[in-house]
Amino acid sequence: MGWLLSPLSWLLLAMLGACVARWWRSRARTLCVVSGVVAVVAVAAMTPLVANLLVGWLERPALQSAACAVTPPDIAVVLAGGVDVADPEDADISALGITSRRRMERAVAWWGAKPGRRLVVAGGPMVDGGVPPSRLMVRYSRQLGVDAGSLLAEESSVNTWENARHLARLPGMPRRVVLVTSAMHLPRAGFAMRQAGFEVCPVPADFRRVALGWPGALIPRSSALGKSEAALHEIVGLTWYRLRLLLDLLPLDGTDIHAPAGRAWMLEVVVIQLHRHSRIDQRAVGARCRVEAREAARGQRGIPFAQVA
């Protein structure tokens, strides 16, 4: 379903809607208006101006903890960026995509800045029995001068969420690491790593935002289309990760979330999530919500949402 994230697909759907409007006379005006709006948005998303806005928002500087500057980690996680062929040969480094190369080159530069640093490359094959991109990236880094003792490959994960989960299961893996990936990919990758229990010190690579020229920035281009598609993939992916986290918190004991007790349970989840990084005592908040849930279950009173400050 990745085609739904392409502005070109939106434009084609808008054209289809306009054609349908010719035969569906009762809804012709509505279809024409909707199709026109979709077409304008699609064409705008294919311009360098809009592509730069989307990419720039994702590539904004990431926040770092003070510990990253004072005592930076000696291990960097490098996320694979894919290959340019469906099933590359085991030693075919030329199959690495430009994204994988740029991430690895940035990681090698970080590795060479201080002795004793190590690189962990994550990324499994996209087809069963295929060659993992992480293995090719390790070979590429060897050509760039990294010694074998400083390299480790994780070859089973096939997406960003799995990258983080599988890395967390590696024996001896520290919980504070440098994360090397594309600047546009960093918000989603950092979120996945933090949910897996890591403290991330970001090192962005492969910046895609470029200087604009006028009036060329308003003219649709294939390069801008590719950037918009990649940015939309990251935005939708990050939204899905956050939704997935919320769904993982839904009750598993059959509680009806529309009943008073169920609403109290939802209050507890929402309040604790909203105040996860604040100074509010979560235990007190959770205890209050559980008391309200027990009272509601006994039919003593309902619990309106407005009671939560």
Side-chain angles (χ1 to χ4, degrees):
M1 298 294 288
W3 61 273
L4 282 175
L5 300 180
S6 172
L8 187 58
S9 297
W10 305 346
L11 183 59
L12 294 175
L13 289 174
M15 294 172 63
L16 178 62
C19 292
V20 171
R22 295 184 59 185
W23 286 276
W24 197 358
R25 297 301 178 86
S26 61
R27 300 290 183 181
R29 181 169 181 173
T30 300
L31 281 173
C32 287
V33 171
V34 172
S35 298
V37 171
V38 172
V40 170
V41 172
V43 172
M46 290 187 278
T47 63
L49 175 62
V50 174
N52 248 24
L53 290 174
L54 291 172
V55 171
W57 180 74
L58 288 168
E59 292 186 347
R60 63 193 185 280
L63 297 177
Q64 293 197 48
S65 65
C68 290
V70 177
T71 55
D74 289 327
I75 292 183
V77 168
V78 191
L79 302 184
V83 293
D84 287 339
V85 295
D87 187 15
E89 297 180 0
D90 188 63
D92 187 12
I93 298 176
S94 64
L96 281 175
I98 186 63
T99 300
S100 292
R101 289 176 177 270
R102 287 174 176 172
R103 293 179 185 180
M104 198 70 248
E105 289 164 0
R106 181 67 183 89
V108 170
W110 173 88
W111 171 84
K114 180 182 176 182
R117 289 179 168 177
R118 291 182 292 163
L119 302 176
V120 180
V121 189
M126 301 307 296
V127 296
D128 292 338
V131 177
S134 58
R135 187 181 304 173
L136 297 177
M137 291 175 70
V138 166
R139 291 182 180 274
Y140 182 51
S141 67
R142 294 283 287 130
Q143 288 191 355
L144 296 177
V146 182
D147 60 87
S150 300
L151 292 165
L152 178 66
E154 184 283 310
E155 301 182 347
S156 58
S157 57
V158 296
N159 56 51
T160 304
W161 190 262
E162 287 189 5
N163 287 160
R165 289 298 188 271
H166 291 198
L167 286 166
R169 293 199 291 265
L170 290 178
M173 190 71 179
R175 284 300 174 261
R176 191 159 64 88
V177 297
V178 167
L179 176 61
V180 183
T181 188
S182 299
M184 185 164 47
H185 183 230
L186 200 52
R188 182 162 64 99
F191 180 83
M193 292 289 286
R194 286 189 292 272
Q195 294 306 316
F198 289 98
E199 180 186 347
V200 173
C201 299
V203 174
D206 186 29
F207 286 88
R208 303 286 299 277
R209 190 175 185 275
V210 297
L212 295 178
W214 303 94
L218 302 175
I219 306 301
R221 297 182 182 180
S222 59
S223 58
L225 173 62
K227 288 182 182 180
S228 292
E229 288 177 345
L232 289 169
H233 175 81
E234 294 301 328
I235 294 170
V236 172
L238 179 57
T239 303
W240 165 240
Y241 284 178
R242 294 183 182 277
L243 179 61
R244 179 175 180 169
L245 179 63
L246 177 61
L247 293 176
D248 285 346
L249 293 173
L250 291 177
L252 301 178
D253 57 0
T255 301
D256 181 6
I257 63 174
H258 299 290
R263 293 205 305 269
W265 182 92
M266 287 294 291
L267 283 174
E268 180 179 355
V269 170
V270 171
V271 170
I272 291 177
Q273 288 298 309
L274 287 175
H275 298 293
R276 172 181 288 179
H277 302 295
S278 72
R279 298 178 180 177
I280 291 180
D281 186 346
Q282 296 180 15
R283 290 175 296 180
V285 173
R288 173 191 169 190
C289 291
R290 284 191 290 272
V291 169
E292 292 178 341
R294 286 195 294 269
E295 292 177 353
R298 290 196 298 267
Q300 294 181 7
R301 59 187 178 91
I303 305 175
F305 284 91
Q307 287 186 358
V308 177

